[in-house]
Amino acid sequence: QVQLVESGGGLVQAGGSLGLSCAASGTIIGVRAMGWYRQAPGKQRELVATSTRDGSINYADSVKGRFTISRDNAKRTMSLQMNSLKPEDTAVYYCNADLLGVGSGWRDYWGQGTQVTVSS
């Protein structure tokens, strides 16, 4: 069964750093776009950063210069390094990937979410 498993997150003071990781497991033939999204209480889920298979990267304006997304296609993993964190970065962060599994075709997968809390 194909799934995304996240790790990292937690509580940090404003100005601090945290790292998130995401690993795709199962019988995976291919990976296309991967990305991170977040959802704060009472708000809609929003894009944080995305990375295409050819290396194109896109960041939300609110995190540019502070967050860095990276991926390892061979290992089917992705990371998000978050620096200079602000209280407004507090949210549940979700890993997302477009994966090709055996017998399932290309599908959009989501991780279970991990909480990031930034205290002021």
Side-chain angles (χ1 to χ4, degrees), residues 78-93:
M78 175 177 64
S79 299
L80 184 69
Q81 179 62 37
M82 304 181 290
N83 299 326
S84 303
L85 283 161
K86 305 175 181 180
E88 51 263 44
D89 294 319
T90 295
V92 177
Y93 284 70

Side-chain angles (χ1 to χ4, degrees), residues 23-79:
S25 64
T27 307
I28 300 168
I29 301 172
V31 182
R32 293 192 300 204
M34 301 184 78
W36 292 95
Y37 292 74
R38 67 186 182 186
Q39 187 167 18
K43 295 186 177 181
Q44 290 187 329
R45 190 172 298 188
E46 63 177 5
L47 179 148
V48 176
T50 58
S51 171
T52 63
R53 187 167 54 185
D54 64 1
S56 297
I57 291 175
N58 180 51
Y59 293 101
D61 288 342
S62 59
V63 307
K64 283 181 180 177
R66 301 187 297 121
F67 289 12
T68 302
I69 187 173
S70 60
R71 61 188 280 175
D72 185 325
N73 290 328
K75 295 182 178 179
R76 312 282 199 248
T77 60
M78 175 177 64
S79 299

